[in-house]
Amino acid sequence: MTVLRADDAVAALKAAAEPTRLRILLLLSAAELNVKDLTRILGQSQPRISRHLKLLFEAGLIERSREGSWVYFHLGASALARALVEHIDHGDSIVARDRDRAGSLKLEREKAAQAYFEVHAAEWDQIRSLYVEEAEVEGAMLLALDERRYDMFVDLGTGTGRILELFSGRYARGLGIDVNHAMLAYARSRLDRSLGGSAHVRHGDLYDLSLADGAAGAVVMHQVLHFLSDPARAIREAARVLGPGGDLLIVDFAPHELEFLRERFAHDRLGFSRGTIEQWVREAGLEPVLARDMASPPQGRHDKLTVSLWLARRPGTAAVNQVRSTHSRPFENVR
C-alpha cells in the first residue's frame, strides 16, 4: 500500500475541497474525458475546467495523456483518490445529473465509433474468414499466459480493445496503444462500458513507447507485426518495457503467399517464420518459451492462413504471480 507524506495528503485534500473538483473526480472515475467533454457535462467554461484539472493533476489525484491535439484525463491510482470517490454521495441530485449528461455524451461517442467500425467491418470479416475461428485463437492466448496476473498489462496495436477485454481480471492496470485515432475512439467507448476504468487506451508509436523501462508485466502484439515495416524494432521496444519475468505474447500469421492482403489491406509482411521470430526475441534480450500453430492450410488449399502464437519471457523473477507453465524448451511446438 502506498504511504503518503503528510504534506502530500494535505495538498491532495485541499485540491479536492471544492464541489466542482469533487464532481470531476467522480466523472473521471467512470471514464476518460477531455476538457471539452467536461465543459459540456458540467456547464462551465473551458478556462475554469482547465484550472480545476490542473490543480487535481498537480495534487496527484488524476492522470492525463495526450492524444493528438486532445488531452484525456482519468482518476489517478492513489488510494486517496479512490477513497474520495467512494465516499461521495452518488445519490446526490447534482451527481446524478452529471452522470446522466456523461451517459448522453458516451452514447454520442459510441454511435460515432460504431459508424466507423461498421464501415470497415466487412474488410475485417473477409480477413477473419481466411483463418481459424477467433475464439480458438483467444483460447490459445489465455492458455499461453496460464494463470498469471500482472500489475501492468500492455496491448500494442489495441484496435477495438478486445485483447484488454479478453484478459480482464488478469491485470490491475491495462493499457492499449494504437496509432489510429478512430479505432481509439471506438476502443475507449467499448472499454468504458465493459471494464469501468481498469483499462485505458492511448495514442502512441509502437517504435517509441512512452513507458519506462521494465514498466510492464506483459505485452501483447496481436495481429500487429504484419502491418509494420520494421517488426524487429517493434519487438525490441516491446521487450524494453518488460520487467523481470515479464511476458511478450505475439500472435500473427505464419508465412503465406496471399499477395492481395498486401495490396488491399496494407499488410507489409506476408507472415513470419518461427526462426525469424525466435531470432528477433533473442536479439531483444528475451527467452523463447512457446510456439503454436493453428489451422494449417488443408492439403491442396492455398487460400487459408495459419495463425501462429509465440511466447517469450524476460529472464528474471516476476514481481507478481510466478510462472506456472511447464514449457522449458525454446519455442516448444504445441498444436
Side-chain angles (χ1 to χ4, degrees), residues 94-308:
I94 295 177
V95 170
R97 184 182 63 191
D98 290 345
R99 186 168 56 245
D100 290 342
R101 288 177 176 176
S104 297
L105 178 63
K106 184 183 295 186
L107 184 59
E108 289 180 23
R109 278 186 176 173
E110 289 176 356
K111 288 181 177 178
Q114 185 63 33
Y116 172 86
F117 182 77
E118 289 174 355
V119 167
H120 296 275
E123 300 174 3
W124 296 328
D125 286 344
Q126 182 179 351
I127 296 176
R128 289 194 188 100
S129 71
L130 298 174
Y131 60 86
V132 65
E133 291 291 330
E134 198 67 37
E136 183 175 338
V137 177
E138 292 181 353
M141 294 174 69
L142 290 169
L143 183 62
L145 293 186
D146 203 10
E147 297 299 325
R148 300 190 75 188
R149 289 182 56 85
Y150 305 96
D151 180 27
M152 172 66 80
F153 180 95
V154 180
D155 180 28
L156 299 182
T158 194
T160 66
R162 169 57 188 161
I163 300 305
L164 291 170
E165 285 185 331
L166 178 67
F167 283 92
S168 64
R170 298 275 196 96
Y171 55 79
R173 294 174 294 154
L175 176 64
I177 297 175
D178 207 295
V179 72
N180 188 308
H181 288 284
M183 290 305 300
L184 286 170
Y186 180 86
R188 180 174 288 112
S189 170
R190 176 174 178 163
L191 295 173
D192 284 347
R193 184 174 62 251
S194 63
L195 299 185
S198 63
H200 302 284
V201 295
R202 300 280 179 272
H203 181 265
D205 182 353
L206 269 61
Y207 298 130
D208 186 18
L209 300 172
S210 57
L211 291 170
D213 294 357
V219 175
V220 174
M221 307 178 83
H222 174 254
Q223 300 292 10
V224 172
L225 290 185
H226 60 251
F227 288 112
L228 305 180
S229 59
D230 192 352
R233 179 183 169 194
I235 287 176
R236 290 195 299 272
E237 181 65 357
R240 178 187 66 79
V241 304
L242 281 177
D247 293 324
L248 173 61
L249 181 62
I250 299 170
V251 178
D252 219 290
F253 298 125
H256 62 85
E257 298 179 0
L258 301 186
E259 286 287 346
F260 81 92
L261 292 177
R262 177 176 285 153
E263 297 163 0
R264 293 181 53 192
F265 298 105
H267 288 206
D268 197 89
R269 304 291 292 268
L270 298 183
F272 304 92
S273 69
R274 182 173 304 182
T276 295
I277 298 295
E278 179 170 354
Q279 176 184 343
W280 287 344
V281 298
R282 286 191 182 281
E283 289 173 350
L286 306 181
E287 289 296 324
V289 174
L290 170 69
R292 177 176 180 179
D293 294 328
M294 286 165 277
S296 297
Q299 187 174 5
R301 295 285 300 277
H302 302 285
D303 62 342
K304 296 293 182 181
L305 296 169
T306 294
V307 175
S308 295

Side-chain angles (χ1 to χ4, degrees), residues 35-44 101 104-105 108:
V35 173
K36 183 179 179 181
D37 296 333
L38 289 167
T39 59
R40 289 182 58 186
I41 295 169
L42 298 172
Q44 297 187 22
R101 288 177 176 176
S104 297
L105 178 63
E108 289 180 23

